[in-house]
Amino acid sequence: MDWMAWTWPTATFFAVIATLLIVFTVLAIRYPETPRVGILRIETTRGDRLFITLLGSAFINLAWLGVVGAGQPYALVVCLIYAAAVFRWV
């Protein structure tokens, strides 16, 4: 593992993503879902909305770094609001 500098924030990030994938897999098995049509006018499932949320959050964080530069915890707040909106309306 010397080829990559693992830090606690990096490890936490990947642990959270892995936990989300496990939780959503268990939810899909336990409570089968039906796709729904939201404001994008495409059928999405919980997994689709999770993917849209993760992708959008990556872009929000990159834009935050480019425009603001510091204060990354505030970007997390924006990402959480974005995630709530995606799971509610998409």
Side-chain angles (χ1 to χ4, degrees):
M1 295 294 268
D2 291 334
W3 61 273
M4 185 171 180
W6 283 92
T7 61
W8 282 110
T10 304
T12 303
F13 172 78
F14 283 108
V16 167
I17 297 298
T19 303
L20 279 171
L21 291 174
I22 291 168
V23 166
F24 273 70
T25 301
V26 170
L27 283 174
I29 293 169
R30 184 119 166 105
Y31 306 104
E33 55 196 328
T34 57
R36 69 176 193 199
V37 177
I39 61 171
L40 294 179
R41 298 291 171 221
I42 58 172
E43 287 187 351
T44 59
T45 62
R46 281 186 297 248
D48 297 331
R49 291 187 293 275
L50 176 65
F51 177 74
I52 292 168
T53 299
L54 291 174
L55 191 61
S57 295
F59 285 116
I60 289 169
N61 278 286
L62 286 173
W64 192 277
L65 280 173
V67 175
V68 178
Q72 205 64 21
Y74 298 113
L76 176 63
V77 172
V78 174
C79 289
L80 292 174
I81 294 169
Y82 171 72
V86 167
F87 274 92
R88 175 69 176 102
W89 292 303
V90 172

Coordinates of all heavy atoms in Angstrom, one line a residue:
M1 N 0.8 -1.2 0.0 CA 0.0 0.0 0.0 C 0.9 1.3 0.0 O 0.4 2.3 0.3 CB -0.9 0.0 1.2 CG -2.0 -1.1 1.2 SD -3.1 -0.9 -0.1 CE -4.4 0.0 0.7
D2 N 2.1 1.1 -0.3 CA 3.0 2.3 -0.3 C 2.8 3.2 -1.6 O 3.3 4.3 -1.6 CB 4.5 1.9 -0.3 CG 4.8 1.3 1.1 OD1 4.1 1.6 2.1 OD2 5.8 0.5 1.1
W3 N 2.1 2.7 -2.5 CA 1.9 3.4 -3.8 C 0.9 4.5 -3.7 O 0.8 5.4 -4.5 CB 1.5 2.5 -4.9 CG 0.2 1.8 -4.7 CD1 0.1 0.6 -4.0 CD2 -1.1 2.2 -5.1 NE1 -1.2 0.2 -4.0 CE2 -2.0 1.2 -4.6 CE3 -1.6 3.3 -5.8 CZ2 -3.3 1.3 -4.9 CZ3 -2.9 3.4 -6.0 CH2 -3.8 2.4 -5.5
M4 N 0.1 4.5 -2.6 CA -0.9 5.6 -2.4 C -0.9 6.1 -1.0 O -0.8 5.3 -0.1 CB -2.3 5.0 -2.8 CG -3.4 6.0 -2.7 SD -4.9 5.3 -3.4 CE -6.0 6.7 -3.2
A5 N -1.0 7.4 -0.9 CA -0.9 8.0 0.5 C -2.4 8.0 1.0 O -3.1 8.9 0.7 CB -0.3 9.4 0.4
W6 N -2.7 7.1 1.8 CA -4.0 7.0 2.4 C -4.1 7.9 3.6 O -3.2 7.8 4.5 CB -4.4 5.6 2.8 CG -4.8 4.7 1.7 CD1 -4.0 3.9 1.0 CD2 -6.1 4.6 1.1 NE1 -4.7 3.3 0.0 CE2 -6.0 3.7 0.0 CE3 -7.3 5.2 1.4 CZ2 -7.1 3.4 -0.7 CZ3 -8.4 4.9 0.6 CH2 -8.3 4.0 -0.4
T7 N -5.0 8.8 3.6 CA -5.2 9.7 4.8 C -6.6 9.3 5.4 O -7.4 8.7 4.8 CB -5.2 11.2 4.4 OG1 -6.3 11.4 3.4 CG2 -3.9 11.5 3.7
W8 N -6.8 9.8 6.6 CA -8.1 9.5 7.2 C -9.3 10.1 6.4 O -10.3 9.4 6.2 CB -8.2 10.1 8.6 CG -7.4 9.1 9.6 CD1 -6.2 9.4 10.2 CD2 -7.8 7.8 9.9 NE1 -5.9 8.3 10.9 CE2 -6.8 7.3 10.8 CE3 -8.9 7.0 9.6 CZ2 -6.9 6.0 11.3 CZ3 -9.0 5.7 10.2 CH2 -8.0 5.3 11.0
P9 N -9.2 11.3 5.8 CA -10.3 11.8 5.0 C -10.6 10.9 3.8 O -11.7 10.7 3.4 CB -9.9 13.2 4.6 CG -9.0 13.6 5.7 CD -8.2 12.4 6.1
T10 N -9.5 10.5 3.2 CA -9.6 9.6 2.0 C -10.3 8.3 2.3 O -11.2 7.8 1.7 CB -8.3 9.4 1.3 OG1 -7.7 10.6 1.0 CG2 -8.4 8.5 0.1
A11 N -9.8 7.7 3.4 CA -10.4 6.4 3.9 C -11.8 6.6 4.3 O -12.7 5.7 4.0 CB -9.5 5.9 5.0
T12 N -12.1 7.7 4.9 CA -13.5 7.9 5.3 C -14.4 8.1 4.1 O -15.5 7.5 4.1 CB -13.6 9.2 6.2 OG1 -12.7 9.0 7.3 CG2 -15.0 9.4 6.7
F13 N -13.9 8.8 3.1 CA -14.7 9.0 1.9 C -15.1 7.6 1.2 O -16.2 7.4 0.9 CB -13.9 9.9 0.9 CG -14.5 9.9 -0.5 CD1 -15.6 10.8 -0.7 CD2 -14.0 9.2 -1.5 CE1 -16.2 10.8 -2.0 CE2 -14.6 9.2 -2.8 CZ -15.7 10.1 -3.0
F14 N -14.1 6.8 1.1 CA -14.3 5.5 0.4 C -15.2 4.6 1.3 O -16.0 3.8 0.8 CB -13.0 4.8 0.0 CG -12.4 5.4 -1.2 CD1 -11.3 6.2 -1.1 CD2 -13.0 5.2 -2.4 CE1 -10.7 6.7 -2.3 CE2 -12.5 5.7 -3.6 CZ -11.3 6.5 -3.5
A15 N -15.0 4.7 2.6 CA -15.9 3.9 3.5 C -17.3 4.3 3.5 O -18.2 3.5 3.5 CB -15.3 4.0 5.0
V16 N -17.6 5.6 3.3 CA -18.9 6.1 3.2 C -19.6 5.7 1.9 O -20.7 5.2 1.9 CB -19.0 7.7 3.4 CG1 -20.3 8.3 2.9 CG2 -18.6 8.1 4.8
I17 N -18.8 5.7 0.8 CA -19.3 5.3 -0.5 C -19.6 3.8 -0.4 O -20.7 3.4 -0.9 CB -18.3 5.6 -1.6 CG1 -18.1 7.1 -1.7 CG2 -18.8 5.0 -2.9 CD1 -19.3 7.9 -2.1
A18 N -18.7 3.0 0.2 CA -19.0 1.6 0.3 C -20.2 1.3 1.1 O -21.0 0.4 0.8 CB -17.8 0.9 0.9
T19 N -20.4 2.0 2.2 CA -21.5 1.8 3.1 C -22.8 2.2 2.4 O -23.8 1.5 2.5 CB -21.4 2.7 4.4 OG1 -20.1 2.3 5.0 CG2 -22.5 2.5 5.3
L20 N -22.8 3.3 1.6 CA -24.0 3.7 0.9 C -24.4 2.6 -0.1 O -25.5 2.3 -0.3 CB -23.7 5.0 0.1 CG -23.9 6.3 0.9 CD1 -23.4 7.4 0.0 CD2 -25.3 6.5 1.3
L21 N -23.4 2.0 -0.8 CA -23.7 1.0 -1.8 C -24.3 -0.3 -1.1 O -25.2 -0.9 -1.6 CB -22.4 0.6 -2.6 CG -21.9 1.7 -3.5 CD1 -20.6 1.3 -4.1 CD2 -22.9 1.9 -4.6
I22 N -23.7 -0.6 0.1 CA -24.3 -1.8 0.8 C -25.7 -1.5 1.3 O -26.6 -2.3 1.1 CB -23.3 -2.1 2.0 CG1 -22.0 -2.7 1.4 CG2 -24.0 -3.1 2.9 CD1 -20.9 -2.8 2.5
V23 N -25.9 -0.3 1.8 CA -27.2 0.0 2.3 C -28.3 0.0 1.2 O -29.4 -0.5 1.3 CB -27.2 1.4 3.1 CG1 -28.6 1.9 3.3 CG2 -26.5 1.3 4.4
F24 N -27.9 0.6 0.1 CA -28.8 0.7 -1.1 C -29.1 -0.7 -1.7 O -30.2 -1.0 -2.2 CB -28.3 1.7 -2.1 CG -28.8 3.1 -1.9 CD1 -28.2 3.8 -0.8 CD2 -29.7 3.7 -2.6 CE1 -28.7 5.1 -0.5 CE2 -30.2 5.0 -2.4 CZ -29.6 5.7 -1.3
T25 N -28.1 -1.6 -1.6 CA -28.3 -3.0 -2.1 C -29.3 -3.7 -1.2 O -30.2 -4.4 -1.6 CB -27.0 -3.7 -2.1 OG1 -26.1 -3.0 -3.0 CG2 -27.2 -5.1 -2.6
V26 N -29.1 -3.5 0.1 CA -30.0 -4.2 1.1 C -31.4 -3.6 1.0 O -32.4 -4.4 1.0 CB -29.5 -4.0 2.6 CG1 -30.5 -4.4 3.6 CG2 -28.2 -4.8 2.8
L27 N -31.5 -2.3 0.8 CA -32.8 -1.7 0.6 C -33.5 -2.2 -0.7 O -34.7 -2.5 -0.7 CB -32.7 -0.2 0.5 CG -32.5 0.6 1.8 CD1 -32.3 2.0 1.5 CD2 -33.7 0.4 2.7
A28 N -32.7 -2.4 -1.8 CA -33.3 -2.9 -3.0 C -33.8 -4.3 -2.9 O -34.8 -4.7 -3.5 CB -32.3 -2.8 -4.1
I29 N -33.1 -5.1 -2.1 CA -33.5 -6.5 -1.9 C -34.7 -6.6 -0.9 O -35.6 -7.3 -1.2 CB -32.3 -7.3 -1.3 CG1 -31.2 -7.5 -2.4 CG2 -32.8 -8.7 -0.8 CD1 -29.9 -8.0 -1.9
R30 N -34.6 -5.8 0.1 CA -35.7 -5.9 1.2 C -37.0 -5.2 0.7 O -38.1 -5.7 1.0 CB -35.2 -5.2 2.4 CG -36.1 -5.3 3.6 CD -35.5 -6.0 4.7 NE -36.2 -5.8 6.0 CZ -37.0 -6.7 6.5 NH1 -37.2 -7.9 5.8 NH2 -37.7 -6.5 7.6
Y31 N -36.8 -4.1 0.1 CA -38.0 -3.3 -0.4 C -37.8 -3.0 -1.9 O -37.3 -2.0 -2.3 CB -38.1 -2.0 0.3 CG -38.1 -2.1 1.8 CD1 -37.0 -1.8 2.6 CD2 -39.3 -2.5 2.5 CE1 -37.0 -1.9 4.0 CE2 -39.3 -2.7 3.9 CZ -38.1 -2.3 4.6 OH -38.2 -2.5 6.0
P32 N -38.3 -4.0 -2.7 CA -38.2 -3.8 -4.2 C -38.8 -2.4 -4.6 O -39.9 -2.0 -4.0 CB -39.0 -4.9 -4.8 CG -39.0 -5.9 -3.7 CD -39.0 -5.2 -2.4
E33 N -38.2 -1.8 -5.5 CA -38.6 -0.4 -5.9 C -39.2 -0.4 -7.3 O -38.9 -1.3 -8.1 CB -37.4 0.5 -5.8 CG -36.2 0.0 -6.7 CD -34.9 0.7 -6.3 OE1 -35.0 1.9 -6.0 OE2 -33.9 0.1 -6.5
T34 N -40.0 0.6 -7.5 CA -40.6 0.8 -8.8 C -40.0 2.1 -9.3 O -40.0 3.1 -8.6 CB -42.1 0.8 -8.8 OG1 -42.5 1.8 -7.9 CG2 -42.7 -0.5 -8.4
P35 N -39.6 2.2 -10.6 CA -39.0 3.4 -11.1 C -40.1 4.5 -11.1 O -41.3 4.2 -11.2 CB -38.6 3.1 -12.5 CG -38.5 1.6 -12.5 CD -39.5 1.1 -11.5
R36 N -39.7 5.7 -10.9 CA -40.6 6.8 -10.9 C -40.1 7.9 -11.8 O -38.9 8.0 -12.1 CB -40.9 7.4 -9.5 CG -39.7 8.1 -8.9 CD -40.0 8.7 -7.6 NE -39.0 9.7 -7.2 CZ -38.8 10.1 -6.0 NH1 -39.5 9.7 -5.1 NH2 -37.8 10.9 -5.8
V37 N -41.0 8.8 -12.3 CA -40.6 9.8 -13.2 C -40.7 11.1 -12.5 O -41.7 11.5 -11.8 CB -41.6 9.9 -14.4 CG1 -41.3 11.1 -15.3 CG2 -41.6 8.6 -15.2
G38 N -39.6 11.8 -12.5 CA -39.5 13.1 -11.8 C -39.4 14.3 -12.7 O -39.9 14.2 -13.8
I39 N -38.7 15.4 -12.3 CA -38.7 16.6 -13.1 C -37.8 16.4 -14.3 O -37.9 17.2 -15.2 CB -38.2 17.8 -12.2 CG1 -36.8 17.6 -11.7 CG2 -39.2 18.1 -11.2 CD1 -36.2 18.8 -11.0
L40 N -36.9 15.4 -14.3 CA -36.1 15.2 -15.5 C -36.8 14.4 -16.6 O -36.3 14.2 -17.7 CB -34.8 14.4 -15.1 CG -33.8 15.1 -14.2 CD1 -32.6 14.2 -13.9 CD2 -33.4 16.4 -14.9
R41 N -38.0 13.9 -16.3 CA -38.9 13.2 -17.2 C -38.2 11.9 -17.6 O -38.4 11.4 -18.8 CB -39.3 14.0 -18.4 CG -40.1 15.2 -18.0 CD -41.5 14.7 -17.5 NE -42.2 15.9 -17.0 CZ -42.9 15.8 -15.9 NH1 -43.0 14.7 -15.2 NH2 -43.5 16.8 -15.4
I42 N -37.4 11.3 -16.8 CA -36.8 10.0 -17.0 C -37.2 9.1 -15.8 O -37.4 9.6 -14.7 CB -35.3 10.0 -17.3 CG1 -34.6 10.6 -16.0 CG2 -35.0 10.7 -18.5 CD1 -33.1 10.5 -16.1
E43 N -37.3 7.8 -16.1 CA -37.5 6.9 -15.0 C -36.2 6.7 -14.2 O -35.2 6.4 -14.7 CB -38.0 5.5 -15.5 CG -39.4 5.5 -16.0 CD -39.9 4.1 -16.3 OE1 -39.1 3.2 -16.3 OE2 -41.1 4.0 -16.6
T44 N -36.3 6.9 -12.8 CA -35.2 6.7 -12.0 C -35.6 5.8 -10.8 O -36.7 5.8 -10.3 CB -34.6 8.0 -11.4 OG1 -35.7 8.7 -10.7 CG2 -34.1 8.9 -12.5
T45 N -34.6 5.0 -10.3 CA -34.7 4.2 -9.1 C -33.9 4.9 -8.1 O -33.2 5.9 -8.3 CB -34.3 2.8 -9.4 OG1 -32.9 2.8 -9.7 CG2 -35.1 2.1 -10.5
R46 N -33.9 4.3 -6.9 CA -33.0 4.8 -5.8 C -31.6 4.8 -6.2 O -30.8 5.8 -5.9 CB -33.2 4.0 -4.5 CG -34.4 4.3 -3.7 CD -34.4 3.5 -2.4 NE -34.5 2.1 -2.6 CZ -35.5 1.3 -2.3 NH1 -36.6 1.8 -1.8 NH2 -35.5 0.0 -2.5
G47 N -31.1 3.8 -6.8 CA -29.7 3.7 -7.3 C -29.4 4.7 -8.3 O -28.3 5.3 -8.2
D48 N -30.3 5.0 -9.2 CA -30.1 6.1 -10.2 C -29.9 7.4 -9.5 O -29.1 8.2 -9.8 CB -31.2 6.1 -11.2 CG -31.3 4.9 -12.0 OD1 -30.3 4.2 -12.2 OD2 -32.5 4.6 -12.4
R49 N -30.8 7.7 -8.5 CA -30.8 8.9 -7.8 C -29.5 9.1 -7.0 O -28.9 10.2 -6.9 CB -32.0 9.1 -7.0 CG -33.3 9.3 -7.9 CD -34.5 9.7 -7.0 NE -35.0 8.6 -6.2 CZ -35.8 7.6 -6.6 NH1 -36.2 7.6 -7.9 NH2 -36.2 6.7 -5.8
L50 N -29.0 7.9 -6.4 CA -27.7 8.0 -5.7 C -26.6 8.3 -6.6 O -25.7 9.1 -6.3 CB -27.5 6.6 -5.0 CG -26.1 6.5 -4.3 CD1 -26.0 7.4 -3.1 CD2 -25.9 5.1 -3.9
F51 N -26.6 7.7 -7.8 CA -25.5 8.0 -8.8 C -25.6 9.5 -9.2 O -24.5 10.1 -9.3 CB -25.7 7.1 -10.0 CG -24.7 7.4 -11.1 CD1 -23.4 7.0 -10.9 CD2 -25.0 8.0 -12.2 CE1 -22.4 7.3 -11.9 CE2 -24.1 8.3 -13.2 CZ -22.8 7.9 -13.1
I52 N -26.8 10.0 -9.5 CA -26.9 11.4 -9.9 C -26.4 12.3 -8.8 O -25.7 13.3 -9.0 CB -28.4 11.7 -10.3 CG1 -28.7 11.0 -11.6 CG2 -28.6 13.2 -10.4 CD1 -30.2 11.0 -11.9
T53 N -26.7 11.9 -7.5 CA -26.3 12.7 -6.4 C -24.8 12.7 -6.2 O -24.2 13.7 -6.0 CB -27.0 12.2 -5.1 OG1 -28.4 12.3 -5.2 CG2 -26.5 12.9 -3.9
L54 N -24.2 11.5 -6.3 CA -22.7 11.4 -6.2 C -22.0 12.2 -7.3 O -21.0 12.9 -7.0 CB -22.3 10.0 -6.2 CG -22.7 9.2 -4.9 CD1 -22.3 7.7 -5.1 CD2 -22.0 9.7 -3.7
L55 N -22.5 12.1 -8.5 CA -21.9 12.8 -9.6 C -22.0 14.3 -9.5 O -21.0 15.0 -9.7 CB -22.5 12.3 -10.9 CG -21.8 12.7 -12.2 CD1 -20.4 12.2 -12.3 CD2 -22.6 12.2 -13.4
G56 N -23.2 14.7 -9.1 CA -23.4 16.2 -8.9 C -22.6 16.7 -7.8 O -22.1 17.8 -7.8
S57 N -22.5 15.9 -6.7 CA -21.7 16.4 -5.6 C -20.2 16.5 -5.9 O -19.6 17.4 -5.4 CB -21.9 15.4 -4.4 OG -23.2 15.4 -3.9
A58 N -19.7 15.6 -6.8 CA -18.3 15.8 -7.2 C -18.1 17.1 -7.9 O -17.2 17.8 -7.7 CB -18.0 14.6 -8.1
F59 N -19.1 17.4 -8.8 CA -19.0 18.7 -9.6 C -19.1 19.9 -8.6 O -18.5 20.9 -8.8 CB -20.0 18.7 -10.7 CG -19.6 17.9 -11.9 CD1 -20.3 16.8 -12.2 CD2 -18.4 18.1 -12.6 CE1 -20.0 16.0 -13.3 CE2 -18.0 17.3 -13.7 CZ -18.8 16.2 -14.0
I60 N -20.0 19.8 -7.7 CA -20.2 20.9 -6.7 C -18.9 21.1 -6.0 O -18.5 22.3 -5.8 CB -21.4 20.6 -5.7 CG1 -22.7 20.7 -6.5 CG2 -21.3 21.5 -4.5 CD1 -23.9 20.2 -5.7
N61 N -18.3 20.0 -5.5 CA -17.0 20.2 -4.7 C -15.9 20.7 -5.6 O -15.1 21.6 -5.2 CB -16.6 18.9 -4.1 CG -17.3 18.6 -2.8 OD1 -17.0 19.2 -1.8 ND2 -18.3 17.7 -2.9
L62 N -15.8 20.3 -6.9 CA -14.8 20.8 -7.8 C -15.0 22.3 -8.0 O -14.1 23.1 -8.1 CB -14.8 20.0 -9.1 CG -14.2 18.6 -9.0 CD1 -14.3 17.9 -10.3 CD2 -12.7 18.7 -8.6
A63 N -16.3 22.7 -8.3 CA -16.6 24.1 -8.5 C -16.3 24.9 -7.3 O -15.8 26.0 -7.4 CB -18.0 24.2 -9.0
W64 N -16.6 24.4 -6.1 CA -16.3 25.1 -4.9 C -14.8 25.3 -4.7 O -14.4 26.4 -4.3 CB -16.9 24.3 -3.7 CG -16.9 25.0 -2.4 CD1 -15.9 25.2 -1.6 CD2 -18.0 25.8 -1.9 NE1 -16.3 26.0 -0.5 CE2 -17.6 26.3 -0.7 CE3 -19.3 26.0 -2.3 CZ2 -18.4 27.1 0.1 CZ3 -20.1 26.7 -1.5 CH2 -19.7 27.3 -0.3
L65 N -14.0 24.3 -5.0 CA -12.6 24.5 -4.9 C -12.1 25.5 -5.9 O -11.2 26.3 -5.6 CB -11.9 23.2 -5.1 CG -11.8 22.2 -4.0 CD1 -11.2 20.9 -4.4 CD2 -11.0 22.8 -2.8
G66 N -12.7 25.5 -7.1 CA -12.2 26.5 -8.1 C -12.6 27.9 -7.8 O -11.9 28.9 -8.1
V67 N -13.8 28.1 -7.3 CA -14.3 29.4 -7.1 C -14.0 30.0 -5.7 O -13.5 31.1 -5.6 CB -15.9 29.5 -7.3 CG1 -16.5 30.8 -6.9 CG2 -16.2 29.1 -8.7
V68 N -14.2 29.2 -4.6 CA -14.0 29.7 -3.3 C -12.6 29.3 -2.8 O -11.9 30.1 -2.2 CB -15.1 29.1 -2.3 CG1 -14.9 29.5 -0.9 CG2 -16.5 29.5 -2.8
G69 N -12.2 28.1 -3.0 CA -10.9 27.6 -2.6 C -10.8 27.0 -1.3 O -10.2 26.0 -1.1
A70 N -11.4 27.6 -0.3 CA -11.4 27.0 1.1 C -12.8 26.9 1.6 O -13.8 27.2 0.9 CB -10.6 28.0 1.9
G71 N -12.9 26.4 2.8 CA -14.2 26.3 3.4 C -15.0 25.1 2.9 O -16.2 25.2 2.6
Q72 N -14.3 24.0 2.6 CA -14.9 22.8 2.0 C -16.1 22.3 2.8 O -17.0 21.7 2.2 CB -13.9 21.7 1.8 CG -14.2 20.8 0.7 CD -14.3 21.5 -0.7 OE1 -13.7 22.5 -0.9 NE2 -15.0 20.9 -1.6
P73 N -16.1 22.4 4.2 CA -17.3 21.9 4.9 C -18.6 22.6 4.4 O -19.7 22.0 4.5 CB -17.0 22.2 6.3 CG -15.5 22.1 6.4 CD -15.1 22.7 5.1
Y74 N -18.5 23.8 4.0 CA -19.7 24.5 3.5 C -20.2 23.9 2.2 O -21.4 23.9 1.9 CB -19.4 26.0 3.3 CG -19.1 26.7 4.6 CD1 -17.8 27.2 4.8 CD2 -20.0 26.8 5.6 CE1 -17.5 27.9 6.0 CE2 -19.7 27.4 6.8 CZ -18.4 28.0 7.0 OH -18.1 28.6 8.2
A75 N -19.2 23.4 1.4 CA -19.6 22.7 0.2 C -20.4 21.4 0.5 O -21.3 21.0 -0.2 CB -18.4 22.3 -0.7
L76 N -20.0 20.8 1.6 CA -20.8 19.6 2.1 C -22.2 19.9 2.4 O -23.1 19.2 2.0 CB -20.1 19.0 3.3 CG -20.8 17.8 4.0 CD1 -20.9 16.6 3.0 CD2 -20.1 17.4 5.3
V77 N -22.5 21.1 3.0 CA -23.8 21.5 3.2 C -24.6 21.7 1.9 O -25.7 21.2 1.8 CB -23.8 22.8 4.1 CG1 -25.2 23.4 4.2 CG2 -23.2 22.6 5.4
V78 N -23.9 22.3 0.9 CA -24.6 22.5 -0.4 C -24.9 21.1 -1.0 O -25.9 20.9 -1.6 CB -23.7 23.3 -1.3 CG1 -24.2 23.4 -2.7 CG2 -23.5 24.7 -0.7
C79 N -23.9 20.2 -0.9 CA -24.1 18.8 -1.4 C -25.3 18.1 -0.7 O -26.0 17.4 -1.4 CB -22.9 18.0 -1.3 SG -21.5 18.5 -2.4
L80 N -25.4 18.3 0.6 CA -26.5 17.6 1.3 C -27.9 18.2 0.9 O -28.9 17.5 0.7 CB -26.4 17.8 2.8 CG -25.2 17.0 3.4 CD1 -25.0 17.3 4.9 CD2 -25.4 15.5 3.2
I81 N -27.9 19.5 0.6 CA -29.2 20.1 0.1 C -29.5 19.6 -1.3 O -30.6 19.3 -1.6 CB -29.1 21.7 0.2 CG1 -29.0 22.1 1.6 CG2 -30.2 22.3 -0.6 CD1 -28.6 23.6 1.7
Y82 N -28.4 19.5 -2.1 CA -28.6 19.0 -3.5 C -29.1 17.5 -3.4 O -30.0 17.1 -4.2 CB -27.2 19.1 -4.2 CG -27.2 18.3 -5.5 CD1 -27.9 18.8 -6.6 CD2 -26.5 17.2 -5.7 CE1 -27.8 18.2 -7.8 CE2 -26.4 16.5 -6.9 CZ -27.1 17.0 -8.0 OH -27.1 16.4 -9.1
A83 N -28.5 16.7 -2.5 CA -28.9 15.3 -2.4 C -30.4 15.2 -2.0 O -31.1 14.4 -2.5 CB -28.0 14.6 -1.4
A84 N -30.8 16.0 -1.1 CA -32.2 16.0 -0.6 C -33.1 16.4 -1.8 O -34.2 15.7 -2.0 CB -32.4 17.0 0.5
A85 N -32.7 17.4 -2.6 CA -33.5 17.8 -3.7 C -33.6 16.7 -4.8 O -34.6 16.4 -5.4 CB -32.9 19.0 -4.3
V86 N -32.5 16.0 -5.0 CA -32.4 14.9 -6.0 C -33.3 13.8 -5.6 O -34.2 13.3 -6.4 CB -31.0 14.4 -6.3 CG1 -31.0 13.1 -7.1 CG2 -30.2 15.5 -7.1
F87 N -33.2 13.4 -4.4 CA -34.0 12.2 -3.9 C -35.5 12.6 -3.8 O -36.4 11.7 -3.8 CB -33.5 11.7 -2.6 CG -32.4 10.7 -2.8 CD1 -31.1 11.0 -2.8 CD2 -32.7 9.3 -3.0 CE1 -30.1 10.1 -3.0 CE2 -31.7 8.4 -3.2 CZ -30.4 8.8 -3.2
R88 N -35.8 13.9 -3.6 CA -37.2 14.3 -3.5 C -37.9 14.5 -4.9 O -39.0 14.1 -5.1 CB -37.3 15.6 -2.7 CG -38.6 16.2 -2.6 CD -39.6 15.4 -1.8 NE -40.8 16.1 -1.6 CZ -41.9 15.7 -2.3 NH1 -41.9 14.8 -3.2 NH2 -43.1 16.4 -2.1
W89 N -37.2 15.1 -5.8 CA -37.8 15.6 -7.1 C -37.3 14.9 -8.3 O -38.0 15.0 -9.4 CB -37.7 17.1 -7.2 CG -38.5 17.8 -6.2 CD1 -39.8 17.7 -6.0 CD2 -38.0 18.8 -5.3 NE1 -40.2 18.5 -5.0 CE2 -39.1 19.2 -4.5 CE3 -36.8 19.3 -5.0 CZ2 -39.0 20.1 -3.5 CZ3 -36.6 20.2 -4.0 CH2 -37.8 20.6 -3.2
V90 N -36.2 14.2 -8.3 CA -35.8 13.6 -9.6 C -36.3 12.2 -9.7 O -36.5 11.5 -8.7 CB -34.2 13.6 -9.6 CG1 -33.7 12.8 -10.8 CG2 -33.7 15.0 -9.7

